Amino acid sequence: MSAPRTRVDRADDVGRAVADVVTALAAAAGLDRGRAYRLRLAADEITTNTMTHGYRGAGGPVEITCGVEPDAAWVRITDAAPAFDPRGHVTRVDGPPREGGYGIHLVLTGVDEFGYEWAGGRNHYTLRVRRVRVEEGGTDGGSADRDTPRPDGARGH
Amino acid sequence: MAFDVTTHAEDGVLTVRLTGELDSRAAHRFNEVIGAVPGGTVNRLVLHLAELVYLSSAGLRCLVFAQQKLGRGTEIVLVGTRPEVAETITMTGFDRSVTMQDPVDS
């Protein structure tokens, strides 16, 4: 499954667009509820960050594509905002609650693999989650089957 | 799913029921409700989250804002949180700052 390219230019529209893309992708890939939720959350955080900080609230092009592979489903987000690699902005969450930094943490810990590339004057973010088949011992138990990935740069490309 | 927030205040307990998706588009509505609470009047904030189906980092910041606005002495209780929303809260460590209850405990 490879969905058509979705383009959004307004901050108010990007959250709904992400939700629609991931919902369709999750159905096509047979993602369990927990992975589908975390994939949507990660994509939402990336695009919202782009609209809020990258484009400073003025809006700008965000393109979303997705696909299914035998063992994974992926979402790729491309924008024309200034270069921003989230892996260099990891926030510690073991201290007192704070008002910023949670989004990047949710991106890097929520998906099974995160990739970032700056190419052609654009940010390219790739979010990938594994497809866990029930007949192979996986569950549909949302968070219950979760392997917690580490928010380190080694997982990206 | 559209976001909605309803409130009820009684005897120092502010009960807030959240429905739908609390994300960057909806955050201002929650913050308006909390921001309108007179200082020093709430010692317990009870958030009913059984119908909250999505919480992004913008929504988490709302919870942090509520904690800061109402003060450290105000207990914050989350009731009936769905597993995916609870996981988001746990992933960020905010569960250490609140009490999470099942609906039957409320």
Side-chain angles (χ1 to χ4, degrees), chain B residues 41-75:
Chain B
T41 60
V42 174
N43 53 46
R44 194 165 193 251
L45 172 64
V46 180
L47 295 169
H48 286 272
L49 304 184
E51 300 303 319
L52 186 73
V53 298
Y54 183 73
L55 179 75
S56 73
S57 68
L60 274 167
R61 287 195 294 277
C62 290
L63 303 185
V64 175
F65 169 70
Q67 185 182 57
Q68 294 175 343
K69 158 75 178 177
L70 300 177
R72 286 279 180 176
T74 300
E75 180 188 19

PDB file of all heavy atoms in Angstrom, chain B residues 41-75:
ATOM      1  N   THR B  41      -8.573  28.741  45.209  1.00  0.00           N
ATOM      2  CA  THR B  41      -9.933  28.245  45.455  1.00  0.00           C
ATOM      3  C   THR B  41     -10.070  26.746  45.214  1.00  0.00           C
ATOM      4  O   THR B  41     -11.106  26.164  45.525  1.00  0.00           O
ATOM      5  CB  THR B  41     -10.950  28.955  44.538  1.00  0.00           C
ATOM      6  OG1 THR B  41     -10.606  28.694  43.167  1.00  0.00           O
ATOM      7  CG2 THR B  41     -10.937  30.456  44.786  1.00  0.00           C
ATOM      8  N   VAL B  42      -9.051  26.114  44.670  1.00  0.00           N
ATOM      9  CA  VAL B  42      -9.142  24.689  44.322  1.00  0.00           C
ATOM     10  C   VAL B  42      -8.034  23.925  45.047  1.00  0.00           C
ATOM     11  O   VAL B  42      -6.868  24.267  44.940  1.00  0.00           O
ATOM     12  CB  VAL B  42      -9.001  24.479  42.794  1.00  0.00           C
ATOM     13  CG1 VAL B  42      -8.937  22.988  42.456  1.00  0.00           C
ATOM     14  CG2 VAL B  42     -10.156  25.135  42.059  1.00  0.00           C
ATOM     15  N   ASN B  43      -8.423  22.913  45.787  1.00  0.00           N
ATOM     16  CA  ASN B  43      -7.404  22.068  46.418  1.00  0.00           C
ATOM     17  C   ASN B  43      -7.358  20.680  45.785  1.00  0.00           C
ATOM     18  O   ASN B  43      -6.491  19.873  46.122  1.00  0.00           O
ATOM     19  CB  ASN B  43      -7.623  21.959  47.926  1.00  0.00           C
ATOM     20  CG  ASN B  43      -9.034  21.525  48.283  1.00  0.00           C
ATOM     21  OD1 ASN B  43      -9.549  20.592  47.689  1.00  0.00           O
ATOM     22  ND2 ASN B  43      -9.662  22.223  49.225  1.00  0.00           N
ATOM     23  N   ARG B  44      -8.293  20.400  44.886  1.00  0.00           N
ATOM     24  CA  ARG B  44      -8.284  19.112  44.196  1.00  0.00           C
ATOM     25  C   ARG B  44      -8.871  19.296  42.800  1.00  0.00           C
ATOM     26  O   ARG B  44      -9.984  19.837  42.652  1.00  0.00           O
ATOM     27  CB  ARG B  44      -9.103  18.090  44.989  1.00  0.00           C
ATOM     28  CG  ARG B  44      -8.900  16.636  44.568  1.00  0.00           C
ATOM     29  CD  ARG B  44      -9.471  15.698  45.640  1.00  0.00           C
ATOM     30  NE  ARG B  44      -9.042  14.330  45.447  1.00  0.00           N
ATOM     31  CZ  ARG B  44      -9.832  13.338  45.037  1.00  0.00           C
ATOM     32  NH1 ARG B  44     -11.106  13.580  44.796  1.00  0.00           N
ATOM     33  NH2 ARG B  44      -9.358  12.129  44.890  1.00  0.00           N
ATOM     34  N   LEU B  45      -8.109  18.877  41.806  1.00  0.00           N
ATOM     35  CA  LEU B  45      -8.582  18.919  40.424  1.00  0.00           C
ATOM     36  C   LEU B  45      -8.790  17.487  39.948  1.00  0.00           C
ATOM     37  O   LEU B  45      -7.844  16.692  39.915  1.00  0.00           O
ATOM     38  CB  LEU B  45      -7.548  19.617  39.527  1.00  0.00           C
ATOM     39  CG  LEU B  45      -7.806  19.571  38.005  1.00  0.00           C
ATOM     40  CD1 LEU B  45      -9.085  20.311  37.641  1.00  0.00           C
ATOM     41  CD2 LEU B  45      -6.613  20.164  37.246  1.00  0.00           C
ATOM     42  N   VAL B  46     -10.022  17.167  39.607  1.00  0.00           N
ATOM     43  CA  VAL B  46     -10.351  15.813  39.143  1.00  0.00           C
ATOM     44  C   VAL B  46     -10.663  15.882  37.651  1.00  0.00           C
ATOM     45  O   VAL B  46     -11.618  16.539  37.241  1.00  0.00           O
ATOM     46  CB  VAL B  46     -11.546  15.229  39.917  1.00  0.00           C
ATOM     47  CG1 VAL B  46     -11.860  13.818  39.405  1.00  0.00           C
ATOM     48  CG2 VAL B  46     -11.265  15.221  41.411  1.00  0.00           C
ATOM     49  N   LEU B  47      -9.840  15.209  36.863  1.00  0.00           N
ATOM     50  CA  LEU B  47     -10.027  15.208  35.417  1.00  0.00           C
ATOM     51  C   LEU B  47     -10.583  13.853  34.991  1.00  0.00           C
ATOM     52  O   LEU B  47      -9.925  12.824  35.152  1.00  0.00           O
ATOM     53  CB  LEU B  47      -8.689  15.459  34.715  1.00  0.00           C
ATOM     54  CG  LEU B  47      -8.041  16.834  34.954  1.00  0.00           C
ATOM     55  CD1 LEU B  47      -6.613  16.857  34.447  1.00  0.00           C
ATOM     56  CD2 LEU B  47      -8.848  17.927  34.279  1.00  0.00           C
ATOM     57  N   HIS B  48     -11.788  13.859  34.462  1.00  0.00           N
ATOM     58  CA  HIS B  48     -12.397  12.628  33.946  1.00  0.00           C
ATOM     59  C   HIS B  48     -12.000  12.479  32.476  1.00  0.00           C
ATOM     60  O   HIS B  48     -12.374  13.303  31.633  1.00  0.00           O
ATOM     61  CB  HIS B  48     -13.913  12.686  34.101  1.00  0.00           C
ATOM     62  CG  HIS B  48     -14.356  12.507  35.522  1.00  0.00           C
ATOM     63  ND1 HIS B  48     -14.600  11.273  36.077  1.00  0.00           N
ATOM     64  CD2 HIS B  48     -14.554  13.415  36.517  1.00  0.00           C
ATOM     65  CE1 HIS B  48     -14.955  11.406  37.347  1.00  0.00           C
ATOM     66  NE2 HIS B  48     -14.928  12.705  37.644  1.00  0.00           N
ATOM     67  N   LEU B  49     -11.246  11.433  32.183  1.00  0.00           N
ATOM     68  CA  LEU B  49     -10.631  11.297  30.854  1.00  0.00           C
ATOM     69  C   LEU B  49     -11.120  10.081  30.083  1.00  0.00           C
ATOM     70  O   LEU B  49     -10.541   9.737  29.051  1.00  0.00           O
ATOM     71  CB  LEU B  49      -9.102  11.223  31.012  1.00  0.00           C
ATOM     72  CG  LEU B  49      -8.431  12.389  31.748  1.00  0.00           C
ATOM     73  CD1 LEU B  49      -6.917  12.211  31.729  1.00  0.00           C
ATOM     74  CD2 LEU B  49      -8.816  13.733  31.152  1.00  0.00           C
ATOM     75  N   ALA B  50     -12.172   9.449  30.531  1.00  0.00           N
ATOM     76  CA  ALA B  50     -12.627   8.226  29.864  1.00  0.00           C
ATOM     77  C   ALA B  50     -13.012   8.468  28.406  1.00  0.00           C
ATOM     78  O   ALA B  50     -12.902   7.567  27.574  1.00  0.00           O
ATOM     79  CB  ALA B  50     -13.810   7.615  30.616  1.00  0.00           C
ATOM     80  N   GLU B  51     -13.447   9.679  28.098  1.00  0.00           N
ATOM     81  CA  GLU B  51     -13.856  10.007  26.733  1.00  0.00           C
ATOM     82  C   GLU B  51     -12.807  10.821  25.993  1.00  0.00           C
ATOM     83  O   GLU B  51     -13.071  11.328  24.896  1.00  0.00           O
ATOM     84  CB  GLU B  51     -15.188  10.764  26.747  1.00  0.00           C
ATOM     85  CG  GLU B  51     -16.327   9.991  27.379  1.00  0.00           C
ATOM     86  CD  GLU B  51     -16.564   8.644  26.704  1.00  0.00           C
ATOM     87  OE1 GLU B  51     -16.492   8.587  25.463  1.00  0.00           O
ATOM     88  OE2 GLU B  51     -16.778   7.650  27.419  1.00  0.00           O
ATOM     89  N   LEU B  52     -11.628  10.954  26.596  1.00  0.00           N
ATOM     90  CA  LEU B  52     -10.530  11.630  25.902  1.00  0.00           C
ATOM     91  C   LEU B  52      -9.778  10.582  25.094  1.00  0.00           C
ATOM     92  O   LEU B  52      -9.140   9.690  25.653  1.00  0.00           O
ATOM     93  CB  LEU B  52      -9.579  12.307  26.898  1.00  0.00           C
ATOM     94  CG  LEU B  52      -8.483  13.155  26.251  1.00  0.00           C
ATOM     95  CD1 LEU B  52      -9.072  14.452  25.683  1.00  0.00           C
ATOM     96  CD2 LEU B  52      -7.373  13.479  27.252  1.00  0.00           C
ATOM     97  N   VAL B  53      -9.838  10.691  23.772  1.00  0.00           N
ATOM     98  CA  VAL B  53      -9.296   9.631  22.915  1.00  0.00           C
ATOM     99  C   VAL B  53      -7.914   9.952  22.371  1.00  0.00           C
ATOM    100  O   VAL B  53      -7.263   9.084  21.778  1.00  0.00           O
ATOM    101  CB  VAL B  53     -10.257   9.324  21.750  1.00  0.00           C
ATOM    102  CG1 VAL B  53     -11.589   8.825  22.281  1.00  0.00           C
ATOM    103  CG2 VAL B  53     -10.454  10.552  20.857  1.00  0.00           C
ATOM    104  N   TYR B  54      -7.456  11.181  22.551  1.00  0.00           N
ATOM    105  CA  TYR B  54      -6.147  11.556  22.004  1.00  0.00           C
ATOM    106  C   TYR B  54      -5.562  12.702  22.817  1.00  0.00           C
ATOM    107  O   TYR B  54      -6.265  13.657  23.159  1.00  0.00           O
ATOM    108  CB  TYR B  54      -6.286  11.979  20.540  1.00  0.00           C
ATOM    109  CG  TYR B  54      -4.985  12.322  19.862  1.00  0.00           C
ATOM    110  CD1 TYR B  54      -4.070  11.322  19.512  1.00  0.00           C
ATOM    111  CD2 TYR B  54      -4.654  13.647  19.572  1.00  0.00           C
ATOM    112  CE1 TYR B  54      -2.868  11.639  18.895  1.00  0.00           C
ATOM    113  CE2 TYR B  54      -3.468  13.976  18.948  1.00  0.00           C
ATOM    114  CZ  TYR B  54      -2.571  12.965  18.610  1.00  0.00           C
ATOM    115  OH  TYR B  54      -1.382  13.278  17.992  1.00  0.00           O
ATOM    116  N   LEU B  55      -4.281  12.568  23.124  1.00  0.00           N
ATOM    117  CA  LEU B  55      -3.580  13.598  23.891  1.00  0.00           C
ATOM    118  C   LEU B  55      -2.193  13.789  23.279  1.00  0.00           C
ATOM    119  O   LEU B  55      -1.384  12.862  23.284  1.00  0.00           O
ATOM    120  CB  LEU B  55      -3.447  13.172  25.358  1.00  0.00           C
ATOM    121  CG  LEU B  55      -2.712  14.132  26.294  1.00  0.00           C
ATOM    122  CD1 LEU B  55      -3.602  15.333  26.629  1.00  0.00           C
ATOM    123  CD2 LEU B  55      -2.285  13.423  27.571  1.00  0.00           C
ATOM    124  N   SER B  56      -1.932  14.974  22.755  1.00  0.00           N
ATOM    125  CA  SER B  56      -0.613  15.256  22.194  1.00  0.00           C
ATOM    126  C   SER B  56       0.214  16.011  23.231  1.00  0.00           C
ATOM    127  O   SER B  56      -0.236  16.270  24.346  1.00  0.00           O
ATOM    128  CB  SER B  56      -0.746  16.091  20.914  1.00  0.00           C
ATOM    129  OG  SER B  56      -1.118  17.418  21.245  1.00  0.00           O
ATOM    130  N   SER B  57       1.430  16.398  22.835  1.00  0.00           N
ATOM    131  CA  SER B  57       2.269  17.138  23.786  1.00  0.00           C
ATOM    132  C   SER B  57       1.638  18.479  24.138  1.00  0.00           C
ATOM    133  O   SER B  57       1.845  18.995  25.236  1.00  0.00           O
ATOM    134  CB  SER B  57       3.667  17.343  23.203  1.00  0.00           C
ATOM    135  OG  SER B  57       3.643  18.229  22.102  1.00  0.00           O
ATOM    136  N   ALA B  58       0.864  19.049  23.224  1.00  0.00           N
ATOM    137  CA  ALA B  58       0.169  20.300  23.533  1.00  0.00           C
ATOM    138  C   ALA B  58      -0.841  20.074  24.662  1.00  0.00           C
ATOM    139  O   ALA B  58      -1.030  20.926  25.527  1.00  0.00           O
ATOM    140  CB  ALA B  58      -0.534  20.836  22.291  1.00  0.00           C
ATOM    141  N   GLY B  59      -1.483  18.909  24.636  1.00  0.00           N
ATOM    142  CA  GLY B  59      -2.403  18.568  25.722  1.00  0.00           C
ATOM    143  C   GLY B  59      -1.679  18.324  27.028  1.00  0.00           C
ATOM    144  O   GLY B  59      -2.150  18.708  28.105  1.00  0.00           O
ATOM    145  N   LEU B  60      -0.522  17.688  26.938  1.00  0.00           N
ATOM    146  CA  LEU B  60       0.284  17.491  28.143  1.00  0.00           C
ATOM    147  C   LEU B  60       0.687  18.825  28.757  1.00  0.00           C
ATOM    148  O   LEU B  60       0.686  18.989  29.982  1.00  0.00           O
ATOM    149  CB  LEU B  60       1.542  16.693  27.795  1.00  0.00           C
ATOM    150  CG  LEU B  60       1.404  15.181  27.807  1.00  0.00           C
ATOM    151  CD1 LEU B  60       2.607  14.542  27.134  1.00  0.00           C
ATOM    152  CD2 LEU B  60       1.261  14.677  29.231  1.00  0.00           C
ATOM    153  N   ARG B  61       1.032  19.772  27.904  1.00  0.00           N
ATOM    154  CA  ARG B  61       1.403  21.093  28.422  1.00  0.00           C
ATOM    155  C   ARG B  61       0.231  21.741  29.136  1.00  0.00           C
ATOM    156  O   ARG B  61       0.412  22.513  30.078  1.00  0.00           O
ATOM    157  CB  ARG B  61       1.907  21.984  27.284  1.00  0.00           C
ATOM    158  CG  ARG B  61       3.295  21.598  26.799  1.00  0.00           C
ATOM    159  CD  ARG B  61       3.913  22.706  25.951  1.00  0.00           C
ATOM    160  NE  ARG B  61       3.190  22.918  24.708  1.00  0.00           N
ATOM    161  CZ  ARG B  61       3.377  22.188  23.600  1.00  0.00           C
ATOM    162  NH1 ARG B  61       4.262  21.218  23.585  1.00  0.00           N
ATOM    163  NH2 ARG B  61       2.688  22.437  22.503  1.00  0.00           N
ATOM    164  N   CYS B  62      -0.986  21.415  28.706  1.00  0.00           N
ATOM    165  CA  CYS B  62      -2.176  21.907  29.409  1.00  0.00           C
ATOM    166  C   CYS B  62      -2.200  21.393  30.851  1.00  0.00           C
ATOM    167  O   CYS B  62      -2.542  22.138  31.784  1.00  0.00           O
ATOM    168  CB  CYS B  62      -3.449  21.454  28.698  1.00  0.00           C
ATOM    169  SG  CYS B  62      -3.775  22.230  27.126  1.00  0.00           S
ATOM    170  N   LEU B  63      -1.863  20.116  31.014  1.00  0.00           N
ATOM    171  CA  LEU B  63      -1.869  19.539  32.357  1.00  0.00           C
ATOM    172  C   LEU B  63      -0.786  20.185  33.218  1.00  0.00           C
ATOM    173  O   LEU B  63      -0.988  20.444  34.409  1.00  0.00           O
ATOM    174  CB  LEU B  63      -1.675  18.026  32.284  1.00  0.00           C
ATOM    175  CG  LEU B  63      -2.689  17.251  31.438  1.00  0.00           C
ATOM    176  CD1 LEU B  63      -2.444  15.749  31.553  1.00  0.00           C
ATOM    177  CD2 LEU B  63      -4.118  17.589  31.854  1.00  0.00           C
ATOM    178  N   VAL B  64       0.364  20.426  32.609  1.00  0.00           N
ATOM    179  CA  VAL B  64       1.442  21.101  33.340  1.00  0.00           C
ATOM    180  C   VAL B  64       1.013  22.521  33.703  1.00  0.00           C
ATOM    181  O   VAL B  64       1.256  22.988  34.827  1.00  0.00           O
ATOM    182  CB  VAL B  64       2.735  21.125  32.500  1.00  0.00           C
ATOM    183  CG1 VAL B  64       3.821  21.927  33.216  1.00  0.00           C
ATOM    184  CG2 VAL B  64       3.215  19.712  32.226  1.00  0.00           C
ATOM    185  N   PHE B  65       0.358  23.185  32.762  1.00  0.00           N
ATOM    186  CA  PHE B  65      -0.139  24.539  33.032  1.00  0.00           C
ATOM    187  C   PHE B  65      -1.122  24.529  34.192  1.00  0.00           C
ATOM    188  O   PHE B  65      -1.085  25.402  35.074  1.00  0.00           O
ATOM    189  CB  PHE B  65      -0.812  25.113  31.783  1.00  0.00           C
ATOM    190  CG  PHE B  65      -1.570  26.391  32.033  1.00  0.00           C
ATOM    191  CD1 PHE B  65      -0.906  27.576  32.315  1.00  0.00           C
ATOM    192  CD2 PHE B  65      -2.966  26.410  32.017  1.00  0.00           C
ATOM    193  CE1 PHE B  65      -1.594  28.751  32.562  1.00  0.00           C
ATOM    194  CE2 PHE B  65      -3.671  27.577  32.257  1.00  0.00           C
ATOM    195  CZ  PHE B  65      -2.983  28.752  32.534  1.00  0.00           C
ATOM    196  N   ALA B  66      -2.011  23.539  34.207  1.00  0.00           N
ATOM    197  CA  ALA B  66      -2.996  23.447  35.293  1.00  0.00           C
ATOM    198  C   ALA B  66      -2.292  23.264  36.633  1.00  0.00           C
ATOM    199  O   ALA B  66      -2.664  23.896  37.633  1.00  0.00           O
ATOM    200  CB  ALA B  66      -3.956  22.286  35.030  1.00  0.00           C
ATOM    201  N   GLN B  67      -1.291  22.431  36.647  1.00  0.00           N
ATOM    202  CA  GLN B  67      -0.550  22.196  37.887  1.00  0.00           C
ATOM    203  C   GLN B  67       0.123  23.486  38.361  1.00  0.00           C
ATOM    204  O   GLN B  67       0.109  23.810  39.548  1.00  0.00           O
ATOM    205  CB  GLN B  67       0.488  21.100  37.669  1.00  0.00           C
ATOM    206  CG  GLN B  67       1.221  20.693  38.925  1.00  0.00           C
ATOM    207  CD  GLN B  67       2.263  19.641  38.642  1.00  0.00           C
ATOM    208  OE1 GLN B  67       3.157  19.846  37.825  1.00  0.00           O
ATOM    209  NE2 GLN B  67       2.147  18.508  39.308  1.00  0.00           N
ATOM    210  N   GLN B  68       0.710  24.214  37.431  1.00  0.00           N
ATOM    211  CA  GLN B  68       1.401  25.442  37.795  1.00  0.00           C
ATOM    212  C   GLN B  68       0.416  26.530  38.214  1.00  0.00           C
ATOM    213  O   GLN B  68       0.663  27.278  39.161  1.00  0.00           O
ATOM    214  CB  GLN B  68       2.263  25.913  36.622  1.00  0.00           C
ATOM    215  CG  GLN B  68       3.410  24.959  36.305  1.00  0.00           C
ATOM    216  CD  GLN B  68       4.187  25.355  35.073  1.00  0.00           C
ATOM    217  OE1 GLN B  68       3.716  26.157  34.263  1.00  0.00           O
ATOM    218  NE2 GLN B  68       5.380  24.795  34.915  1.00  0.00           N
ATOM    219  N   LYS B  69      -0.702  26.612  37.517  1.00  0.00           N
ATOM    220  CA  LYS B  69      -1.705  27.638  37.817  1.00  0.00           C
ATOM    221  C   LYS B  69      -2.368  27.399  39.174  1.00  0.00           C
ATOM    222  O   LYS B  69      -2.578  28.327  39.955  1.00  0.00           O
ATOM    223  CB  LYS B  69      -2.762  27.629  36.712  1.00  0.00           C
ATOM    224  CG  LYS B  69      -4.120  28.210  37.072  1.00  0.00           C
ATOM    225  CD  LYS B  69      -4.105  29.729  37.134  1.00  0.00           C
ATOM    226  CE  LYS B  69      -5.520  30.259  37.462  1.00  0.00           C
ATOM    227  NZ  LYS B  69      -5.536  31.710  37.605  1.00  0.00           N
ATOM    228  N   LEU B  70      -2.692  26.137  39.445  1.00  0.00           N
ATOM    229  CA  LEU B  70      -3.413  25.832  40.684  1.00  0.00           C
ATOM    230  C   LEU B  70      -2.481  25.679  41.876  1.00  0.00           C
ATOM    231  O   LEU B  70      -2.926  25.730  43.025  1.00  0.00           O
ATOM    232  CB  LEU B  70      -4.243  24.559  40.499  1.00  0.00           C
ATOM    233  CG  LEU B  70      -5.298  24.635  39.381  1.00  0.00           C
ATOM    234  CD1 LEU B  70      -6.004  23.302  39.223  1.00  0.00           C
ATOM    235  CD2 LEU B  70      -6.302  25.750  39.661  1.00  0.00           C
ATOM    236  N   GLY B  71      -1.213  25.463  41.598  1.00  0.00           N
ATOM    237  CA  GLY B  71      -0.239  25.382  42.682  1.00  0.00           C
ATOM    238  C   GLY B  71       0.072  23.953  43.072  1.00  0.00           C
ATOM    239  O   GLY B  71      -0.734  23.035  42.883  1.00  0.00           O
ATOM    240  N   ARG B  72       1.282  23.774  43.581  1.00  0.00           N
ATOM    241  CA  ARG B  72       1.747  22.431  43.936  1.00  0.00           C
ATOM    242  C   ARG B  72       0.884  21.783  45.006  1.00  0.00           C
ATOM    243  O   ARG B  72       0.841  20.564  45.129  1.00  0.00           O
ATOM    244  CB  ARG B  72       3.189  22.501  44.425  1.00  0.00           C
ATOM    245  CG  ARG B  72       4.185  22.717  43.313  1.00  0.00           C
ATOM    246  CD  ARG B  72       4.473  21.418  42.626  1.00  0.00           C
ATOM    247  NE  ARG B  72       5.441  21.585  41.542  1.00  0.00           N
ATOM    248  CZ  ARG B  72       5.919  20.588  40.840  1.00  0.00           C
ATOM    249  NH1 ARG B  72       5.527  19.362  41.092  1.00  0.00           N
ATOM    250  NH2 ARG B  72       6.790  20.814  39.879  1.00  0.00           N
ATOM    251  N   GLY B  73       0.197  22.574  45.810  1.00  0.00           N
ATOM    252  CA  GLY B  73      -0.624  22.022  46.873  1.00  0.00           C
ATOM    253  C   GLY B  73      -1.923  21.418  46.387  1.00  0.00           C
ATOM    254  O   GLY B  73      -2.638  20.763  47.153  1.00  0.00           O
ATOM    255  N   THR B  74      -2.242  21.638  45.127  1.00  0.00           N
ATOM    256  CA  THR B  74      -3.479  21.097  44.560  1.00  0.00           C
ATOM    257  C   THR B  74      -3.235  19.690  44.020  1.00  0.00           C
ATOM    258  O   THR B  74      -2.380  19.488  43.171  1.00  0.00           O
ATOM    259  CB  THR B  74      -3.987  21.994  43.412  1.00  0.00           C
ATOM    260  OG1 THR B  74      -4.241  23.301  43.922  1.00  0.00           O
ATOM    261  CG2 THR B  74      -5.254  21.429  42.807  1.00  0.00           C
ATOM    262  N   GLU B  75      -3.985  18.746  44.534  1.00  0.00           N
ATOM    263  CA  GLU B  75      -3.871  17.374  44.047  1.00  0.00           C
ATOM    264  C   GLU B  75      -4.572  17.268  42.689  1.00  0.00           C
ATOM    265  O   GLU B  75      -5.690  17.766  42.516  1.00  0.00           O
ATOM    266  CB  GLU B  75      -4.511  16.400  45.032  1.00  0.00           C
ATOM    267  CG  GLU B  75      -4.419  14.951  44.582  1.00  0.00           C
ATOM    268  CD  GLU B  75      -5.222  14.008  45.475  1.00  0.00           C
ATOM    269  OE1 GLU B  75      -6.115  14.500  46.207  1.00  0.00           O
ATOM    270  OE2 GLU B  75      -4.960  12.800  45.424  1.00  0.00           O
TER     271      GLU B  75
END
